[in-house]
Amino acid sequence: MGLLGQPLGYYDYLTFVALILLLAAVMGLFLFIMGLPGRIAIKRNHPHAEAVKIMGWMGFLAVVPWVHAFMWAFHDGMTVDIRRLPEDERDAIRKEIERLGGTVKEEYQSQTDETQKS
């Protein structure tokens, strides 16, 4: 057996093994990146984690849907919790803004904060 009229040697076989390992590594990286939005959404308890997962796998070839799924994985769902009253919702938003280190706007100040100012 030969390659271009030359017999195959040790380095030829080593090259074939290296190419196969490189191909397997690229395929593994490809699969890891495709499933990344779904794994992130599941880890963050996203309400639409399954949809993010499917969009990550199916949208990878077109790139734009995959990028959308990646951003969507970090975004909390637009779920309206009707169990909270408006004051409770305002307190939840205020606590979230404080947790993120932002400045709380006047509209989200609690009633106790407003009475302390006056």
Side-chain angles (χ1 to χ4, degrees), residues 2 8 18 24 33-34 36 44 47 53 55 64 66-68 73 76-78 80-81 87 98:
L8 292 176
I33 291 174
M34 283 176 57
L36 192 59
R44 293 175 53 90
K53 183 178 178 181
M55 192 170 178
V64 173
W66 183 87
V67 171
H68 183 100
D76 290 332
M78 300 301 275
V80 177
D81 190 357
E87 184 62 36
E98 288 173 350

Side-chain angles (χ1 to χ4, degrees), residues 1-42:
M1 181 178 215
L3 186 66
L4 298 174
Q6 301 291 326
L8 292 176
Y10 171 74
Y11 290 111
D12 294 322
Y13 291 115
L14 191 61
T15 301
F16 293 142
V17 169
L19 287 174
I20 290 171
L21 289 175
L22 182 65
L23 182 64
V26 168
M27 184 67 77
L29 181 65
F30 184 73
L31 292 173
F32 175 79
I33 291 174
M34 283 176 57
L36 192 59
R39 285 193 302 277
I40 291 170
I42 291 168

Side-chain angles (χ1 to χ4, degrees), residues 90 94 97 102-110 114 117:
R90 191 176 301 121
R94 180 181 48 78
I97 292 170
T103 305
V104 180
K105 292 183 180 179
E106 187 176 318
E107 62 195 62
Y108 293 114
Q109 296 290 335
S110 66
E114 292 173 5
K117 287 181 182 178

Side-chain angles (χ1 to χ4, degrees), residues 50-115:
E50 189 67 24
V52 173
K53 183 178 178 181
I54 291 170
M55 192 170 178
W57 282 102
M58 301 303 288
F60 191 75
L61 297 175
V63 178
V64 173
W66 183 87
V67 171
H68 183 100
F70 191 75
M71 290 185 299
W72 191 19
F74 286 101
H75 185 270
D76 290 332
M78 300 301 275
T79 306
V80 177
D81 190 357
I82 62 172
R83 295 174 292 181
R84 287 198 274 202
L85 296 173
E87 184 62 36
D88 296 333
E89 186 67 24
R90 191 176 301 121
D91 288 340
I93 292 170
R94 180 181 48 78
K95 288 177 185 174
E96 182 67 17
I97 292 170
E98 288 173 350
R99 184 185 70 80
L100 294 171
T103 305
V104 180
K105 292 183 180 179
E106 187 176 318
E107 62 195 62
Y108 293 114
Q109 296 290 335
S110 66
Q111 297 296 336
T112 57
D113 291 344
E114 292 173 5
T115 56

